[in-house]
């Protein structure tokens, strides 16, 4: 469940998070006495979601996945939400292996992987861009999380891996997202060997968008988020959905999809407002809505 916490300040460290949060943050927890698994803040169009279980290196337990899903979905259709940033100390080590023992049973294991798949597809289906801000390790399902995000900014100290094969659990579900983000042979080498790749290798192969020094991570990520916020939410939502749809199609079908979407975009009030503002040499005034300029 989620509820507001009224505490004093927020500080992040690479390996730990102090239990102090400003009143604008909400927390998602399992029980009244458990620590927050995720933290959520909405500010000026930007939603920040913090993975907050550094003791497990932010393992994506079933509870963590449910908490993350709730934080993504909460009021996500509100026009005041323009972009989502997912981060956390260490980032994420992937699934919690303690949940994957025989004692849990097949039904529980199925719930874990189905929920994980739902979260990863949700990231690509929500109407706003989702940005991963990585400073640390992103392994297995943690690497899948990075690959599922629309944009990923990482520090030069970050590493990415799918090491499941080393513990007898091949990273098949991470491979769905990673195999769509990097060249096939790179994905297969990562999954067959479990060898971690550096941030620079991840950038080279397209797993991340940018690599920066640790001291510039926040600035660079927030800069991207603010630039997204400068655009019409309705236009961005239309474009994101169209991009995801056409990527799954062949060339000719993709062009047909994109052509129809461009025409639909022009029919939006914000589409016409942007063109008028350009012609008139002024800043556009967005409605961020699906209001139509014409049929």
């Amino acid at each position: 469940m989620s509820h507001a916490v009224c505490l004093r300040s927020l500080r992040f460290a690479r390996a730990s998070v102090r239990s102090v949060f400003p009143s604008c943050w909400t927390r998602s927890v399992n029980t009244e006495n458990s620590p927050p698994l995720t933290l959520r803040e909405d500010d000026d169009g930007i939603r920040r979601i913090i993975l907050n279980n550094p003791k497990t290196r932010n393992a994506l337990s079933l509870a963590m996945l449910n908490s993350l899903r709730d934080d993504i979905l909460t009021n996500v259709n509100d026009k005041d939400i323009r972009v989502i940033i997912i981060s956390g100390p260490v980032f994420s080590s992937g699934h919690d292996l303690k949940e994957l023992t025989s004692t849990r049973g097949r039904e529980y294991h199925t719930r874990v992987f189905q929920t994980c798949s739902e979260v990863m597809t949700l990231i690509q289906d929500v109407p706003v861009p989702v940005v991963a801000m990585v400073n640390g390790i992103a392994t297995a399902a943690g690497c899948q999380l990075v690959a599922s995000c629309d944009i990923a900014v990482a520090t030069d100290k970050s590493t990415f891996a799918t090491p499941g094969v080393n513990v007898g659990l091949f990273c098949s579900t991470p491979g769905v997202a990673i195999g769509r983000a990097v060249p096939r042979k790179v994905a297969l080498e990562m999954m067959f060997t479990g060898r971690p790749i550096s941030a620079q290798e991840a950038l080279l192969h397209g797993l991340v968008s940018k690599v920066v020094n640790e001291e510039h991570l926040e600035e660079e990520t927030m800069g991207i988020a603010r630039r997204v916020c400068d655009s019409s939410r309705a236009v961005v939502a239309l474009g994101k959905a169209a991009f995801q749809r056409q990527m799954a199609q062949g060339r000719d079908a993709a062009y047909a999809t994109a052509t129809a979407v461009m025409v639909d975009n022009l029919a939006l009030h914000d589409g016409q407002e942007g063109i008028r503002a350009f012609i008139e040499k002024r800043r556009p005034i967005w409605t961020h809505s699906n209001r139509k300029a014409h049929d």
Side-chain angles (χ1 to χ4, degrees):
M1 74 179 172
S2 298
H3 58 279
V5 285
C6 186
L7 297 166
R8 283 179 269 182
S9 63
L10 175 69
R11 291 183 181 274
F12 296 99
R14 292 186 64 191
S16 64
V17 176
R18 296 181 183 177
S19 297
V20 285
F21 307 103
S23 59
C24 57
W25 286 81
T26 61
R27 54 183 252 172
S28 297
V29 296
N30 288 323
T31 68
E32 292 293 339
N33 297 322
S34 62
L37 290 175
T38 61
L39 305 169
R40 185 182 75 245
E41 179 200 36
D42 295 342
D43 183 34
D44 199 22
I46 301 171
R47 169 166 292 176
R48 298 196 63 174
I49 301 173
I50 312 299
L51 307 179
N52 185 45
N53 194 5
K55 288 184 178 180
T56 67
R57 299 192 295 175
N58 287 326
L60 295 177
S61 63
L62 183 58
M64 174 74 89
L65 287 166
N66 282 325
S67 182
L68 177 57
R69 178 175 58 190
D70 289 346
D71 281 343
I72 293 170
L73 280 174
T74 299
N75 299 325
V76 73
N77 291 319
D78 190 320
K79 69 178 183 179
D80 291 333
I81 306 299
R82 315 278 179 74
V83 62
I84 296 172
I85 298 172
I86 299 175
S87 64
V90 186
F91 200 71
S92 177
S93 60
H95 288 295
D96 186 347
L97 293 182
K98 292 180 181 179
E99 292 190 335
L100 304 182
T101 61
S102 294
T103 55
R104 292 285 191 168
R106 189 179 188 91
E107 183 178 345
Y108 187 88
H109 297 164
T110 300
R111 284 176 58 201
V112 169
F113 291 111
Q114 284 182 342
T115 303
C116 185
S117 297
E118 289 170 7
V119 170
M120 301 303 168
T121 56
L122 175 64
I123 287 169
Q124 296 185 331
D125 290 345
V126 292
V128 297
V130 182
V131 183
M133 186 170 82
V134 185
N135 186 18
I137 59 168
T139 58
C143 191
Q144 180 184 4
L145 179 58
V146 174
S148 298
C149 288
D150 300 305
I151 300 170
V153 184
T155 64
D156 50 11
K157 297 178 181 178
S158 299
T159 58
F160 305 83
T162 49
V165 68
N166 297 329
V167 296
L169 182 65
F170 197 86
C171 286
S172 295
T173 47
V176 175
I178 295 167
R180 286 162 169 75
V182 305
R184 179 177 299 187
K185 288 180 172 58
V186 174
L188 287 172
E189 181 183 350
M190 289 178 68
M191 290 186 289
F192 286 151
T193 67
R195 181 186 72 86
I197 63 172
S198 68
Q200 289 296 339
E201 287 178 287
L203 177 64
L204 174 66
H205 298 308
L207 183 59
V208 302
S209 315
K210 290 189 176 184
V211 174
V212 297
N213 294 330
E214 185 174 0
E215 58 267 29
H216 295 138
L217 178 62
E218 179 92 7
E219 176 186 1
E220 184 63 38
T221 306
M222 292 300 291
I224 292 171
R226 291 187 186 104
R227 285 192 290 275
V228 171
C229 289
D230 286 340
S231 300
S232 163
R233 185 189 196 275
V235 171
V236 170
L238 187 68
K240 176 176 175 175
F243 181 82
Q244 294 291 350
R245 189 160 67 251
Q246 64 87 14
M247 285 295 290
Q249 298 175 325
R251 183 196 62 188
D252 293 348
Y255 269 118
T257 293
T259 296
V261 170
M262 293 288 282
V263 173
D264 289 341
N265 194 157
L266 286 172
L268 288 175
H269 176 278
D270 281 359
Q272 291 299 311
E273 166 62 13
I275 292 172
R276 284 195 301 270
F278 178 82
I279 294 171
E280 296 168 8
K281 297 181 172 58
R282 59 174 176 82
R283 291 180 62 84
I285 301 172
W286 306 123
T287 66
H288 301 291
S289 72
N290 291 322
R291 176 181 163 194
K292 295 291 184 67
H294 59 261
D295 294 329

